[in-house]
Amino acid sequence: MRKIIVQKFGGTSVADTDKIKNVADVVLREKQNGNDVVVVVSAMGHTTDHLVKMAKALSPNPSSREMDMLLSTGEGVSIALLAMAIQAKGYDAVSFNAMQVGIMTENIHSKARIINIKTEKLRKNLEEGKVIVVAGFQGVTEDGEITTLGRGGSDTSAVALAAALNAERCDIYTDVEGVYTTDPRIVPRASRLDIVSYEEMLELAHAGANVLHPRSVETAKQFNVPLRVRSSFKLDDMGTLIVGVDKMELHRPVAGVAADLTQARIVVCDVPDTPGVAARVFTNLANENISVDMIIQSYARKASNTNDIAFTIDKNDLPKTLAVLETLRQEINAGDIKVDDDTAKVSIIGAGMIDRPGIASTMFETLAKLNINIRMISTSEIKISCLVDKIDAQKALKALHTVFDLECDVVADVKGDLPDV
Amino acid sequence: MRKIIVQKFGGTSVADTDKIKNVADVVLREKQNGNDVVVVVSAMGHTTDHLVKMAKALSPNPSSREMDMLLSTGEGVSIALLAMAIQAKGYDAVSFNAMQVGIMTENIHSKARIINIKTEKLRKNLEEGKVIVVAGFQGVTEDGEITTLGRGGSDTSAVALAAALNAERCDIYTDVEGVYTTDPRIVPRASRLDIVSYEEMLELAHAGANVLHPRSVETAKQFNVPLRVRSSFKLDDMGTLIVGVDKMELHRPVAGVAADLTQARIVVCDVPDTPGVAARVFTNLANENISVDMIIQSYARKASNTNDIAFTIDKNDLPKTLAVLETLRQEINAGDIKVDDDTAKVSIIGAGMIDRPGIASTMFETLAKLNINIRMISTSEIKISCLVDKIDAQKALKALHTVFDLECDVVADVKGDLPDV
C-alpha cells in the first residue's frame, strides 16, 4: 500500500501565485516519490488581516459566527489556486473545504476543536491518484455551521488529517528550517535540532519558540503522528523531526533554552494563613479562565500568621486578574497586591534531564555567576524555569545555551518572524 | 402570515464597506415594513476579476471545477459582511452559503441550473425573526460539489429563492432605475417603464438591454414571481415591475426598442436546391452548440438550381461557424461563404403588437424614409427585428423610439454600465 504524507503550508508560503507554483513543486516532489499526498493550506498572506479590517469597519464587535463564515473564505481561495497550479503541471488534483471533507468540530466559533474527520471522500480521491488540497483552519458542525480552529489552526488541521488517515508523516512547511535550540536572533550560534520529542517541543513552544502551535503538537502526541518542521525553500533539508520520546536515543540532557516575556508576576501580600485561602485564590482565577503558571507560597510569618502568595500569569490577563484579586483581597482581608511585568521566564528543556540530577544546580550556578537574581523557580520532568528580571533575559539565555553545550559551529541562517524575545 | 420579500444586490452595490452599510439600510427598511427578508448578494465589486486573474496566472485553462471552488469564495465574503452590517444596526441576521441552504443544482460546473432549493433552514431562521443573507451565483450538487450558475447567476438565485419560498416579490436592486424603453445613453429621452411583461423583458434582454439576465426572467416567468428592478440609491422610486402579461393592462403596442450589435450575418451562396440540404446546415451548426437567430433562404435560381442561405449568429461563434461551414461547403458542393459583421439588429418589442397589424409597416416605412437598407427581417408575436448596417443603428433606434411614442419629457439620469450599443 502506498504511504500517505500530509503536508501543510502556511500563509506566507502561498502569499502569491509564484509562491503557489513553488508549493505545487514541493507537493509533486513528494508525489513523485511514490507517496499519496494530502496538502493543507492556510489563507494567502495577508488575506485574513484584510478580511478582519473590513469586518471591523462594519461592526465594533462582529459576531463570531459571521467572523468564521468570513475568515473561512480565505482558505477557499488558496485551496482552489493550489489545485489549479498542480493540475497545470500535469497532475490530477482536487480541493475540498472543511464542509466537503467533513472536518467535524464542536459548535464553538473562533476556537473550535476537531471531534472527528470523515475519511471516505479523501480515501476515494487518493485511490483515484489525485493530490488532495484541503482547507486548513476551518471545520463544520453537525448542523452545517462553519467554525474556525483559532490560532495555529492549520497546523492542527494537518496533524488531525494525518491522524485520521493514519499517515506516514505530517510535514509542516514553514519559513524557518526547523526547531532550534533557542531563538537564533538572540543566539546566532543556535543549533537546529534534528530530532526532538513531543514533550520537549511542547515546552519549547510554551516557553516562546512558537514555530508550531502547542495544540498541533498535542494532537500529534495524542495520535503518535510523526511531525516534521521543514523549510519550503530548502527541500533537501529534512528539518526537525518531532516524535515520541520512546523513539529517541537520548544523549543530550538539554534540548533547548527559551525565554518567555509574556508573563507578569503577581504577589498577594499578607494572606491570612488559614486552610483553604490559597485554594480560593486560584479557584477564583480559574473561574475567570485565567491560567496561572509558576506559584510560590512563602512560609507563614509567625507574628502576623500571614504569608505571601506569588504567581505568574499571561500579561494579557492582567486586568481580569487584578479585578478578581481586588474583590478577593477584601473578602479574605489580605494586604497589598504587587504587579511586576518586567520579568522573563528563562527555561531549559530536555527529556534527558530526568535522570541527571546535576542539571538544575548547573542552571542556578550559571545565573548566580552572572549576578542574575532568580525570583521564582518551577520545575517539571523535562523543564526547569527561572523567573528573572527582563533586563537579564538575553544574558541568561546566552550563558545557558553555552553551558549546556548547545552551540553549533555555524551561524544560523534565519528567515521569517521568530518570536519576539 | 408575514410576507417574504427577496432582495438581490449586485457586486457594485456591495463594492466596499460603506456601500454594504447602505445595503443594510435598504434591507432593514423592508424589514421595518413588517416583512420577512431574504437577501441575495453577489461578490464585492471586482473580486471575481481579481480571482480570475490569479487563476489565469497559474493555469492557461484552469479546470471549471476548481474555478467554481475559487469564485464561490467571493460571495462568501459579501454575505458575512452584510450579515455583520445588519447586526451592527441592532437586528438579527445570519448568512448562508449555497451548501448550507441547499441550493441544489445539476452537476455541471460554471453554468449549472438550479434543480431544487431546500427551504427548511430558511423558514426556521425567518420564524426566529432573522434577516437571512444568502450567497448568490453558487449552488451545490447532491455529491457536495460546489457549482456556479454562470452569467446573471445571482439574479437567478434570487428569483429561484423567491419561487421556493413563495415570496411576495423579488426586488433586484441595481445601479439603474429600472427598465427603459431603450438605452438612455443613445436616446436621452428614453422612458423608464413602470411595468413590463416577462415576455417583453426577455425580448428586451435578448435584444441587448441586459439589466437582467434572461435566465432570471425565464425563471420568474416559469414560477410567476413578480420581479422589480429598482435603484439601491433611490429607495422611494419603485423602479420597473415585471409580471405576467395577464396582469397588465395593455395600452401601448410597443414597450421598447433595442439594437443588438453582437450578431454577424453569414451567407452561404449557391447551395444546391435539394431537400434536406438546409436542414443539414443548421443541424451541423446546432451540433456545435451554435445558436442561429435570423434565417432567410432565397428562392431557388432556376438556371443553376441553387439558392442562397443567410442567417445570423453571435460574433463570438464566428470561428466555430466558419469551420463547420467550410467542411460542409465541400460536402454539399456549395459556393462562397460571405461574412458581414458590420451589422446591427434593430428590434421593436411589445406584447400589445399582436393585435395591431400596422406596427410592422410603420417600422419598415420609418427605416425606408431614412434610406436605411433592411438586410433581413424576423418576427415573433411580440417582436419585429430588422438587420441593418451597423452605421445606421443609432439613427434607426432614435427614429423608431420617436415614431412609437416612447419618449418622455425628461432626460434620463443614467448611472452605471449599460450595454455597449
Side-chain angles (χ1 to χ4, degrees):
Chain A
M1 208 173 109
R2 294 159 65 87
K3 288 171 183 170
I4 299 173
I5 305 289
V6 175
Q7 301 182 320
K8 181 259 171 179
F9 295 87
T12 49
S13 298
V14 292
D16 58 44
T17 50
D18 282 339
K19 286 188 175 162
I20 289 173
K21 285 181 189 174
N22 178 55
V23 167
D25 288 332
V26 179
V27 170
L28 291 178
R29 204 178 137 110
E30 201 63 72
K31 181 80 182 158
Q32 285 149 5
N33 285 343
N35 296 314
D36 281 338
V37 187
V38 176
V39 195
V40 175
V41 284
S42 307
M44 292 171 76
H46 300 290
T47 306
T48 304
D49 294 344
H50 174 62
L51 293 173
V52 169
K53 199 176 149 197
M54 288 198 293
K56 294 282 177 194
L58 289 169
S59 172
N61 187 24
S63 83
S64 57
R65 193 250 177 214
E66 296 301 330
M67 276 306 282
D68 282 359
M69 287 290 288
L70 181 68
L71 296 183
S72 67
T73 62
E75 288 80 26
V77 172
S78 50
I79 57 171
L81 292 177
L82 179 56
M84 288 175 193
I86 294 169
Q87 288 171 351
K89 290 175 190 290
Y91 285 78
D92 208 355
V94 63
S95 72
F96 293 126
N97 62 31
M99 196 176 261
Q100 290 175 309
V101 171
I103 299 180
M104 311 310 297
T105 73
E106 311 165 308
N107 192 5
I108 294 173
H109 288 291
S110 85
K111 51 180 178 188
R113 283 181 173 264
I114 295 172
I115 295 168
N116 177 35
I117 296 182
K118 297 184 179 162
T119 57
E120 298 148 52
K121 190 177 268 186
L122 298 174
R123 289 206 185 275
K124 181 171 167 291
N125 279 274
L126 287 178
E127 274 161 30
E128 290 168 7
K130 290 177 189 159
V131 171
I132 301 178
V133 187
V134 177
F137 183 63
Q138 57 184 252
V140 64
T141 70
E142 278 297 330
D143 294 337
E145 289 288 290
I146 292 173
T147 54
T148 61
L149 310 182
R151 278 199 60 199
S154 291
D155 291 343
T156 307
S157 304
V159 174
L161 274 162
L165 290 167
N166 201 14
E168 178 76 4
R169 202 175 67 232
C170 179
D171 285 354
I172 309 285
Y173 284 88
T174 172
D175 48 4
V176 297
E177 288 171 33
V179 181
Y180 283 82
T181 49
T182 194
D183 186 340
R185 290 177 314 174
I186 299 172
V187 183
R189 288 192 187 281
S191 311
R192 215 271 311 286
L193 293 162
D194 292 330
I195 190 165
V196 69
S197 70
Y198 299 125
E199 293 79 3
E200 288 168 325
M201 187 64 207
L202 278 169
E203 293 291 1
L204 283 166
H206 282 297
N210 49 6
V211 177
L212 286 180
H213 194 269
R215 184 138 56 113
S216 61
V217 182
E218 277 160 15
T219 308
K221 180 175 174 238
Q222 186 183 348
F223 296 101
N224 211 17
V225 175
L227 259 181
R228 201 178 269 288
V229 175
R230 56 194 296 188
S231 163
S232 44
F233 303 102
K234 295 198 174 174
L235 298 182
D236 292 324
D237 189 326
M238 291 301 278
T240 302
L241 183 66
I242 308 165
V243 292
V245 71
D246 53 307
K247 294 200 181 123
M248 293 174 63
E249 283 184 41
L250 294 172
H251 44 79
R252 48 164 170 71
V254 177
V257 302
D260 176 4
L261 301 191
T262 65
Q263 301 216 331
R265 184 172 71 129
I266 311 271
V267 185
V268 186
C269 301
D270 303 324
V271 178
D273 187 28
T274 35
V277 168
R280 216 165 134 194
V281 171
F282 296 111
T283 303
N284 287 17
L285 291 170
N287 288 344
E288 291 296 314
N289 222 5
I290 299 164
S291 292
V292 171
D293 184 11
M294 306 168 101
I295 301 175
I296 288 179
Q297 182 167 320
S298 67
Y299 289 110
R301 281 175 285 265
K302 279 195 178 156
S304 59
N305 199 28
T306 60
N307 58 27
D308 298 342
I309 298 178
F311 56 89
T312 63
I313 52 153
D314 190 298
K315 279 180 193 172
N316 292 324
D317 288 334
L318 202 46
K320 261 201 305 189
T321 304
L322 292 178
V324 169
L325 292 180
E326 189 49 41
T327 309
L328 197 68
R329 194 183 67 81
Q330 293 169 19
E331 289 174 20
I332 64 175
N333 196 26
D336 289 348
I337 292 163
K338 291 179 186 162
V339 175
D340 180 7
D341 57 4
D342 267 344
T343 59
K345 187 174 77 168
V346 176
S347 307
I348 61 171
I349 292 125
M353 67 171 66
I354 189 165
D355 301 324
R356 310 198 194 185
I359 301 297
S361 57
T362 304
M363 181 179 193
F364 304 149
E365 275 164 24
T366 305
L367 298 181
K369 270 185 203 156
L370 293 167
N371 274 326
I372 296 172
N373 266 328
I374 300 174
R375 308 213 168 271
M376 299 174 85
I377 295 171
S378 70
T379 61
S380 74
E381 290 197 345
I382 65 162
K383 184 177 73 166
I384 306 168
S385 302
C386 297
L387 198 73
V388 300
D389 292 340
K390 191 173 171 181
I391 200 169
D392 292 327
Q394 285 208 15
K395 203 166 47 172
L397 207 66
K398 285 176 183 169
L400 292 169
H401 195 263
T402 305
V403 81
F404 288 112
D405 206 21
L406 298 172
E407 298 197 355
C408 72
D409 298 337
V410 292
V411 171
D413 175 21
V414 182
K415 289 197 200 75
D417 293 335
L418 275 164
D420 191 25
V421 178
Chain B
M1 206 174 107
R2 294 159 64 86
K3 289 171 182 169
I4 299 172
I5 305 289
V6 175
Q7 302 182 320
K8 181 260 171 177
F9 296 88
T12 50
S13 298
V14 292
D16 58 42
T17 51
D18 282 339
K19 287 189 174 162
I20 289 172
K21 285 180 188 174
N22 178 55
V23 167
D25 288 332
V26 179
V27 170
L28 291 177
R29 203 178 137 110
E30 202 63 72
K31 181 80 182 157
Q32 284 149 6
N33 285 342
N35 296 314
D36 281 338
V37 186
V38 176
V39 195
V40 175
V41 284
S42 306
M44 293 171 75
H46 300 291
T47 306
T48 304
D49 294 343
H50 173 63
L51 293 173
V52 169
K53 198 176 149 197
M54 287 197 293
K56 295 281 177 194
L58 289 169
S59 172
N61 188 23
S63 84
S64 57
R65 194 250 176 212
E66 296 301 330
M67 275 307 282
D68 281 358
M69 286 291 287
L70 181 67
L71 296 183
S72 66
T73 62
E75 288 79 27
V77 172
S78 50
I79 57 172
L81 291 176
L82 179 56
M84 289 176 193
I86 294 169
Q87 289 171 352
K89 290 174 191 290
Y91 286 77
D92 208 357
V94 63
S95 72
F96 293 125
N97 63 31
M99 198 177 260
Q100 290 175 309
V101 172
I103 299 181
M104 311 310 296
T105 73
E106 314 165 307
N107 192 5
I108 294 173
H109 288 290
S110 86
K111 52 180 180 191
R113 283 179 174 266
I114 296 173
I115 294 168
N116 177 35
I117 296 183
K118 297 182 181 164
T119 57
E120 298 146 51
K121 189 176 269 185
L122 298 174
R123 291 205 184 277
K124 181 172 167 290
N125 279 275
L126 287 178
E127 273 160 30
E128 290 168 9
K130 290 177 190 159
V131 172
I132 301 178
V133 186
V134 177
F137 183 64
Q138 56 184 251
V140 64
T141 71
E142 278 298 329
D143 293 337
E145 289 288 291
I146 292 173
T147 54
T148 62
L149 309 181
R151 279 200 60 197
S154 290
D155 291 343
T156 307
S157 303
V159 173
L161 275 162
L165 291 167
N166 201 14
E168 178 76 3
R169 204 173 68 231
C170 180
D171 285 354
I172 308 286
Y173 285 88
T174 170
D175 48 3
V176 296
E177 288 171 33
V179 181
Y180 283 82
T181 49
T182 194
D183 186 339
R185 290 178 313 174
I186 299 171
V187 183
R189 288 192 187 281
S191 311
R192 215 271 312 285
L193 293 161
D194 291 332
I195 190 165
V196 68
S197 69
Y198 298 125
E199 293 79 2
E200 288 169 327
M201 187 65 207
L202 278 169
E203 293 291 3
L204 282 166
H206 281 300
N210 49 6
V211 178
L212 286 180
H213 194 267
R215 186 138 56 112
S216 62
V217 182
E218 277 160 15
T219 308
K221 179 173 176 240
Q222 188 183 347
F223 296 101
N224 211 19
V225 175
L227 260 181
R228 202 177 268 289
V229 175
R230 57 195 296 189
S231 163
S232 44
F233 302 101
K234 296 197 174 175
L235 297 182
D236 292 324
D237 189 326
M238 292 300 280
T240 301
L241 184 65
I242 309 166
V243 292
V245 71
D246 53 307
K247 295 204 179 119
M248 294 175 62
E249 283 185 39
L250 294 170
H251 44 80
R252 48 167 170 67
V254 177
V257 303
D260 176 4
L261 302 192
T262 64
Q263 300 215 332
R265 184 171 73 128
I266 312 272
V267 185
V268 186
C269 301
D270 304 322
V271 178
D273 186 28
T274 34
V277 167
R280 216 166 134 191
V281 171
F282 296 110
T283 304
N284 287 17
L285 291 171
N287 287 346
E288 291 296 313
N289 222 4
I290 298 163
S291 292
V292 171
D293 185 12
M294 308 169 96
I295 300 175
I296 288 181
Q297 180 167 319
S298 68
Y299 289 111
R301 283 178 284 264
K302 280 197 177 152
S304 60
N305 199 26
T306 60
N307 59 26
D308 296 343
I309 298 178
F311 55 89
T312 63
I313 52 153
D314 190 296
K315 279 179 191 170
N316 292 325
D317 289 334
L318 202 46
K320 257 200 310 189
T321 304
L322 293 178
V324 169
L325 293 179
E326 188 50 41
T327 309
L328 197 68
R329 194 183 67 82
Q330 293 167 19
E331 288 174 22
I332 64 175
N333 198 27
D336 288 348
I337 292 163
K338 291 179 187 163
V339 176
D340 179 6
D341 57 4
D342 267 343
T343 60
K345 188 174 78 167
V346 174
S347 306
I348 61 173
I349 292 125
M353 69 172 62
I354 190 165
D355 302 322
R356 312 201 192 183
I359 300 297
S361 58
T362 305
M363 182 179 191
F364 304 149
E365 275 164 24
T366 304
L367 298 182
K369 271 184 201 155
L370 293 167
N371 275 326
I372 295 172
N373 265 330
I374 300 175
R375 308 215 165 269
M376 298 173 87
I377 295 170
S378 71
T379 61
S380 75
E381 289 195 348
I382 65 162
K383 185 177 73 164
I384 306 170
S385 301
C386 296
L387 198 73
V388 301
D389 291 340
K390 191 174 171 181
I391 201 170
D392 292 326
Q394 287 210 13
K395 199 165 53 173
L397 207 65
K398 285 175 183 170
L400 292 170
H401 195 263
T402 305
V403 82
F404 288 112
D405 206 21
L406 299 173
E407 299 198 354
C408 71
D409 298 337
V410 291
V411 171
D413 174 22
V414 182
K415 288 196 199 78
D417 292 336
L418 276 162
D420 191 27
V421 177

